[in-house]
Amino acid sequence: MSAGKGKYDAAIIGGGPAGVSCAVWLARLGLAPVLVEASESIGGLCRRNPFVDEWNASLPAMTGPEVADNLALSLAQAGVPTHLSCVVEGVRLVADGFVVAGTGLAEPLRARYLVLATGVRARGLFPQDGRTGAAAEGVLIGPGAHVVAQDFHGKRVAVLGGGDNAFENALYAQERGAASVRVYARSLRAQRQFVRRFDAGNMTLGPYTVDPAARTVNGERFDVIMVFYGWEPCTQFADGLGLHRSARGFIATDMQTAQTSCAGVYAIGEVAQRQHPCVVTALADGVTAAKAIQARIEAAV
């Protein structure tokens, strides 16, 4: 079973674990998916995580880029048409499905169903920070390779945030020779195993003020400030669809099918924050959407 010439059964936007999983399953189910990815390679946040992913029970001892390479291999072996370095600028609902347009696409793509798997970006001190990776010199936004590239030896480091990423990276800076590391958290949400390993005397709980240009927190100057304020979905291109959102801005979906409030549109992985975010749950989310789309297509035959 496949879509007619020039039209796909589903257009998947986003080439991370969720999007690749959905595309591969659709292809293996005999349908015709197409995948569009904004970056030059497949993998999503995995591609930017240089560490071993110890939470992925199916791929022990593999780093993020190695996991990303396997995702790309699975996509290629399934024969899924893939458009890399293509930034989707808009999606439009038409009578028989959707039209996807963007830079890097030779022409708009037409598909019966639309799957949003564009993932998330790190929240910064200001709205634009998550797009640039930094708010000012010496200010690092979110986890990833840019943290690994930072020289912490002998530096005074401030870590902003009270979640797992904040404490894991605070401990990382300590292990890399930082002269001092202080965590500033308005609330404490991190796992106890991480908090216990960090000196409580170097934690400031409650409100604080930040001047990124001066690199000061509560008036104290630091060499490096790392910001871990969580994540926000990358979905601005789909604003015209009027999708229902959660209180934090993530796309609301049906748990059984991953369908959104717009018929024919599915949202999977971290963009919907349906389950605890990790590679494995994202893969499962992709399967959920693929099976739901298969059921819809077969019911219409």
Side-chain angles (χ1 to χ4, degrees), residues 1-2 9 25-26 28-31 112-113 266 290-301:
M1 186 186 304
S2 63
D9 286 315
W25 269 71
L26 285 169
R28 298 298 184 192
L29 290 168
L31 302 177
R112 300 168 69 179
Y113 296 94
Y266 298 80
K291 293 293 290 182
I293 291 170
Q294 178 199 29
R296 289 281 298 275
I297 290 175
E298 293 184 350
V301 174

Side-chain angles (χ1 to χ4, degrees), residues 101-184:
T103 59
L105 290 172
E107 60 183 5
L109 302 173
R110 298 180 65 89
R112 300 168 69 179
Y113 296 94
L114 180 68
V115 182
L116 307 180
T118 40
V120 293
R121 58 175 165 250
R123 294 181 186 273
L125 293 168
F126 308 107
Q128 71 271 21
D129 294 345
R131 297 172 176 80
T132 63
E137 183 179 356
V139 180
L140 308 180
I141 307 297
H146 58 294
V147 173
V148 177
Q150 173 67 47
D151 177 16
F152 290 104
H153 188 75
K155 302 288 178 65
R156 291 168 48 80
V157 179
V159 176
L160 312 183
D164 289 351
N165 273 321
F167 279 87
E168 283 186 289
N169 282 274
L171 292 167
Y172 178 83
Q174 283 185 339
E175 293 165 358
R176 294 304 182 275
S180 65
V181 180
R182 175 164 288 278
V183 171
Y184 293 86

Side-chain angles (χ1 to χ4, degrees), residues 11-15 36-38 86-93 98-103 105 114-121 131 232-243 245 251 260 265-268 271:
I12 299 104
I13 304 175
V36 182
E37 166 58 36
C86 295
V87 179
V88 173
E89 297 176 331
V91 291
R92 183 165 50 92
L93 178 63
F98 300 87
V99 175
V100 178
T103 59
L105 290 172
L114 180 68
V115 182
L116 307 180
T118 40
V120 293
R121 58 175 165 250
R131 297 172 176 80
E232 60 185 9
C234 302
T235 57
Q236 64 278 6
F237 65 89
D239 288 346
L241 296 175
L243 303 175
R245 306 278 184 139
I251 298 176
T260 70
V265 179
Y266 298 80
I268 56 177
V271 76

Side-chain angles (χ1 to χ4, degrees), residues 208-228:
Y208 55 85
T209 58
V210 185
D211 183 338
R215 287 207 299 275
T216 62
V217 184
N218 286 350
E220 183 178 356
R221 194 176 190 286
F222 293 89
D223 300 304
V224 179
I225 296 177
M226 294 196 286
V227 182
F228 300 99

